[in-house]
């Protein structure tokens, strides 16, 4: 990361800045969705774009996700690079069709003749908004071939990864975390310094956010800062945890993950998404496939235990990972060492 | 609004209900201010006349499906107020034990449900309407939706199915002119929504949704049509969203002078109040008494709700499956305590 | 059908195209019979007049999105016949190298694409229409769909967006009276589909889709409307599916006597042929020569397609990502050879 | 399994018979979908129901999956047990909303006050129908909480599992395999005998279809018979493979799987669905969580390598597991023993 002074911006502003710079550099970039123009996005991550680029390149739509997601496929065929905003990732069920049967598969179905440089930008994460407005669902997208799936954890990456997503010739599902979007850069112990200039963060490289020797905690998005806090707390118990920010779910940066696990010999996956049939199983299996059953002393996972996110905060806290529960998971996973 | 004097008691009930609805929403605002309610609460302040009119036509055996902005529809359908408010406050004593929260309210006794997904409530209403068909009941299913919801695919699919099957579906569109920050004019291909009804074999009319009597009249015709087996009916009730889309919405996209003017001039409660005083049907004092009674009811409800607890953390895993299935029971220790 | 004699050459071209379309579909049937084509092939035999009329209005810079029953639309849009047929036969030389197959055909040069998902093509057309808007071109996007597709949410959403944005979208509904086994009357709330157009700010008209001249006239008006910037236009072309929904469909749900009668009496090719002979515009001999030329073209194409190979197995992993990304490259040995 | 004479019926007839018996027994059971009535289903698995129960209980719908899937949720609230047919599982993207945000979550969101005894009946599997008509997608449903997900492999189970699905108070995604539906009972080496009577097959119990000592092959649906064939062929190489038909993806019958793996010490998951972020990772991880890293000598998985299913058969064969490729996977997985 460039050594820049920390600016007083929040994550959504970093994302908006990344989008603005890409739109300035490339006239084929468009932003389409509900409330992206006049409102600048309900979380502010498209703020200022309407003023800068006008209502044709920043298009407020009716509540018609199926129509405007398909529209993005058509625009891609015409050489555009549309960024489509699905306000909450939980709404994907009304338009998954266009995402997984069109955008994701057309490059393949066309035998490589058609590109789909489409960004599906959406927000996930549990912040007390109950079962239909709290999911992350990266595991769902990751299961479907043809989509890159990424989720940044900090301001620097948010700006750089949205830029890389826009420039990618592959479709990218870009999942912001609602719990991060309004957080100020200064509050981040990692990735808080956001250069004013245009830059990108490669979409396929994980980051070791905190080095450690005893255990590899692999996570992403809103859970990274909780994992860092938990790792700090774990040191009081004599456990030195390494925290990896995966950044990308598809593809997984196996080199970084396996490199770490080969050293620590223990892997804990922390995943705010549903645990079953998702990232945690894939990560554990993928590591084992690469370094062998004998390469590890322990595997563990911690995340939403396949429960719809409840409304009451007392219940939500019981199913969504936080620093405290991650600490507990770290201590469990390193149990025999304590 | 012209008032007929025979209906003094009806008007008193009506006014009291509208007043209660306003107080209910204000109680929610109190919960937001005190952070007892979190998340994105949607109130329907300014839209009371539609819900109060609905209450006059809904039967117990009718069903009602609603949206994110549903509190008043729940009240109209007879969902008891204390568990309703308790659910919005996410209390153990809530209608759904605090699992659903303010956007997801289910009351099978009243055949009432909501969803946080725009356009997703209409298909569910279709199921209620089809059940009435199967049972040869003349009950209707009412779906209350916003102007923005009409542009979802779910709306069109459900309307066409109701049309071709001639189901007893009443669609009440609360056209408050906005879908979050997108104005109605920027999202609809037609100048009115009522005029889309014929495309689905439905009848449709637009009514002034600030005028409880006018909207009640339109609903009367719609309910009669739907109950008769003639197929779906649409009422587009014109109204205005007094507050931001949700509590916390800065609402910078609307002209604030116009907003202030409309709130001052076009409050459905004040409109009713003025008409009632002017006609002499109810005195200012009587109206004040009705307001006070409504306020007292809500104050009592709020106090009771506030006294209740949040559901205990250990119950977070319950109810995922009605059968009690817990797919990964044996590795449950991995989950936070 | 009344024919104007000035248009002799146009008519010859038109008839030849219809004849070629019929032969093309018959070549596909041959592929099914010989099991060179597998899966559920959908032909548009009986619907040639619509596609042939479309060809007269489509410009190179227009876009066309189609459905599972798209072969004739591809031909109308100028997609070259041999790669098209080769894709249907899933050959390496196919338009998409055999990856897409008969339901998924993409030809960026002609701005042509299809989908196997009912209702999913219209949203894509919207993107083409919006591109034309952004570039201030008067090109239109044409979406050809079936009568059954009109009941999907995607149809309504895309229509409304085209209406509110006044995009140059032409929707051609081939109303062949059936959606697999479900008759039009059992799926549509309206007696015609054209009458739904105003609900989306569109113009709409119904035309006899067996009469190439009539449907061409309706399309002319629709294209002119859409090109003028006035918004979307719908043409509902009435026709009849001669064969089962797909090859292999036993088609027991339709009355076989009625089917036989309609095929005998209402074949668009025979209707055109009869009108042309009767008017003396083209002699039986001339018509026969056009048929023969079309047949020869298709026979040559079929022979070439048959000679080509299927794509090699080792290329099955290519093209998942345009960037060349292979997410699990290092464990690829797990996959079958 | 009951010892019954093998009747000359195919799998779709077995399913239709199961449905018919449940509809006879319980008037609240309805069948809703495209072409389910007059046509009896495009694959025939609702044939005869229209005649038996009339057009109100067997409802042909317009092509409006979002509407009629939501209708099922409304009907469930009214006390019905609707069976909704989504013709091909690939079409789920147009109505996933109603499946995962309504049907799956309403029991939880209502705090247990509302049941959703809905069956989402659909067909999957690769039989040469390309990228939009070939998926199985059980991994997608399984990731989303609140849904039971099952997929039968033979005539006996098809009849018994559809019956159990209808009787279940939980929503069930019932995925038929297109490659099996028209196969005659006589062609099955397991589950070919279908009693005429009403019975059900529990939705949560896997079956050991072929016992073996050297390796556990866990699979389901259309791949079971291929795995049985492959196991037979493997014996020529001296490998004795056990084949488990999982039957259910949610829940997994961990007891049966772990019991087998504890004996064989090797697990191969064969999955026609996409390999990534799905069943295979979950199964491998779940087994390790239960029997420990030391309980196994080898893990492997074989399935669709995250490639949209190509049209040409030459390509399809390269990405979809068949008896030959499963044999190869078995031999790879037991490599050190040969
Ligand atoms: C499918 C879907 N898309 C978007 C949203 C986000 N959203 C919630 S309410 C809303 C606006 C709804 O407008 P309208 O239907 O007019 O109802 P109102 O809020 O005005 O009552 C939007 C876009 C959602 N919940 N579901
Ligand atoms: C979303 C979706 N639902 C169902 C299907 C299965 N299906 C394929 S074609 C078809 C009928 C289409 O009817 P219509 O639109 O009239 O076109 P036609 O086949 O008559 O040309 C159906 C139901 C599908 N492909 N996609
Ligand atoms: Mg509104
Ligand atoms: Mg049709």
């Amino acid at each position: 990361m460039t050594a820049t002074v920390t600016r007083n911006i929040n994550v959504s502003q970093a994302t908006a800045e990344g989008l603005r710079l890409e739109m300035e550099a490339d006239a084929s970039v468009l932003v389409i969705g509900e409330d992206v123009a006049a409102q600048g996005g309900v979380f502010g991550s498209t703020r200022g774009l309407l003023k800068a680029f006008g209502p044709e390149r920043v298009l407020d739509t009716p509540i018609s996700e199926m129509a405007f997601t398909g529209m993005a496929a058509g625009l891609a065929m015409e050489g555009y690079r549309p960024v489509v905003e699905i306000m909450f990732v939980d709404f994907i069920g009304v338009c998954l069709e266009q995402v997984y049967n069109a955008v994701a598969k057309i490059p393949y179905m066309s035998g490589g003749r058609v590109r789909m440089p489409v960004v599906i930008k959406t927000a996930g994460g549990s912040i007390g908004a109950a079962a239909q407005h709290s999911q992350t669902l990266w595991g769902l997208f990751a299961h479907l071939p043809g989509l890159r799936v990424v989720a940044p954890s900090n301001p620097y990456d948010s700006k750089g990864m949205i830029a890389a997503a826009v420039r990618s010739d592959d479709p990218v599902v870009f999942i912001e975390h609602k719990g991060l979007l309004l957080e100020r850069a200064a509050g981040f112990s990692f990735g808080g310094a956001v250069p004013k200039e245009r830059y990108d963060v490669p979409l396929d490289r994980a980051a070791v956010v905190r080095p450690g020797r005893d255990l590899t905690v692999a996570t992403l998005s809103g859970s990274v800062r909780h994992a860092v806090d938990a790792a700090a707390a774990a040191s009081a118990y004599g456990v030195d945890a390494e925290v990896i920010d995966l950044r990308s779910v598809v593809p997984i940066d196996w080199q970084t993950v396996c490199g770490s696990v080969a050293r620590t010999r223990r892997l804990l996956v922390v995943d705010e998404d549903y645990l079953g049939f998702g990232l945690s199983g894939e990560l554990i299996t993928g590591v084992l496939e690469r370094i062998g059953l004998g390469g590890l002393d322990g595997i563990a996972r911690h995340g939403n235990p396949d429960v719809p996110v409840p409304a009451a905060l007392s219940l939500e806290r019981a199913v969504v990972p936080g620093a405290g529960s991650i600490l507990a998971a770290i201590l469990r996973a390193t149990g025999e060492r304590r | 609004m012209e008032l007929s004097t025979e209906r003094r008691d009806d008007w008193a009930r009506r006014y009291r209900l509208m007043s209660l609805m306003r107080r209910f929403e204000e109680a929610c605002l109190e919960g937001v201010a005190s952070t007892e309610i979190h998340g994105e609460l949607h109130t329907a302040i300014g839209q009371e006349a539609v819900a109060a009119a609905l209450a006059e036509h809904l039967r117990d055996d009718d069903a009602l499906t609603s949206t994110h902005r549903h509190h008043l529809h729940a009240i109209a359908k007879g969902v008891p107020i204390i568990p309703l408010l308790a659910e919005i406050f996410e209390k153990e004593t809530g209608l759904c034990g605090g699992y659903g929260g303010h956007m997801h309210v289910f009351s099978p006794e009243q055949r009432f449900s909501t969803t946080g997904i725009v356009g997703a409530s209409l298909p569910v209403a279709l199921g209620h309407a089809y059940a009435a068909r199967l049972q040869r009941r003349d009950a209707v299913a009412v779906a209350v939706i916003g102007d923005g919801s009409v542009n979802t695919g779910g709306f069109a699919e459900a309307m066409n199915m109701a049309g071709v099957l001639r189901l007893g579906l009443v669609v009440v569109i609360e056209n408050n002119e906005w879908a979050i920050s997108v104005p109605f004019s920027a999202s609809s291909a037609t100048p009115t929504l009522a005029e889309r009804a014929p495309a689905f074999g439905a009848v449709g009319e637009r009514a002034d949704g600030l005028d409880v009597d006018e909207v009640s009249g339109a609903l009367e015709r719609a309910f009669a049509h739907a109950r008769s087996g003639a197929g779906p009916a649409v009422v587009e009730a014109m109204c205005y969203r007094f507050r931001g889309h949700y509590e916390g919405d800065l609402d910078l996209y609307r002209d604030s002078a116009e907003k202030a003017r409309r709130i001052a001039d076009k409050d459905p409660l004040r409109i009713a109040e003025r008409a009632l005083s002017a006609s002499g049907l109810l005195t200012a004092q009587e109206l004040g008494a009705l307001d006070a009674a409504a306020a007292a009811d809500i104050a009592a409800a709020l106090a009771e709700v506030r006294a209740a607890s949040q559901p205990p953390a250990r119950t977070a895993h319950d109810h995922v499956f009605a059968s009690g299935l817990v797919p990964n029971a044996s590795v449950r220790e991995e989950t936070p305590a």
Side-chain angles (χ1 to χ4, degrees), chain B residues 95 100 109 111 120 123 127-128 130 135-136 157 316 318 322-323 330:
Chain B
L95 199 57
E109 294 79 3
R111 293 187 158 92
H128 290 288
Y130 196 63
Q135 296 158 20
R136 303 290 178 261
E157 291 192 0
D318 298 351
S323 64
S330 63

Side-chain angles (χ1 to χ4, degrees), chain B residues 63 87 95-97 99-101 104 106-109 111-113 115 117 119-121 123-128 130-131 133-137 153-154 157-158 160-161 164-165 167 315-325 327-331 334:
Chain B
E87 189 60 35
L95 199 57
C96 302
Y99 289 75
H104 318 105
F106 301 86
S107 194
E109 294 79 3
R111 293 187 158 92
F112 178 82
S113 69
T115 173
I117 309 297
S121 55
V124 177
L126 212 56
H128 290 288
Y130 196 63
R133 156 74 46 84
L134 288 166
Q135 296 158 20
R136 303 290 178 261
R137 292 190 285 118
E157 291 192 0
N160 178 66
M161 275 193 72
V164 69
L165 295 172
L167 295 180
T315 62
H317 292 224
D318 298 351
H319 308 307
V320 180
F321 288 93
S323 64
L325 172 69
N328 281 302
S330 63
V331 285
E334 271 309 331

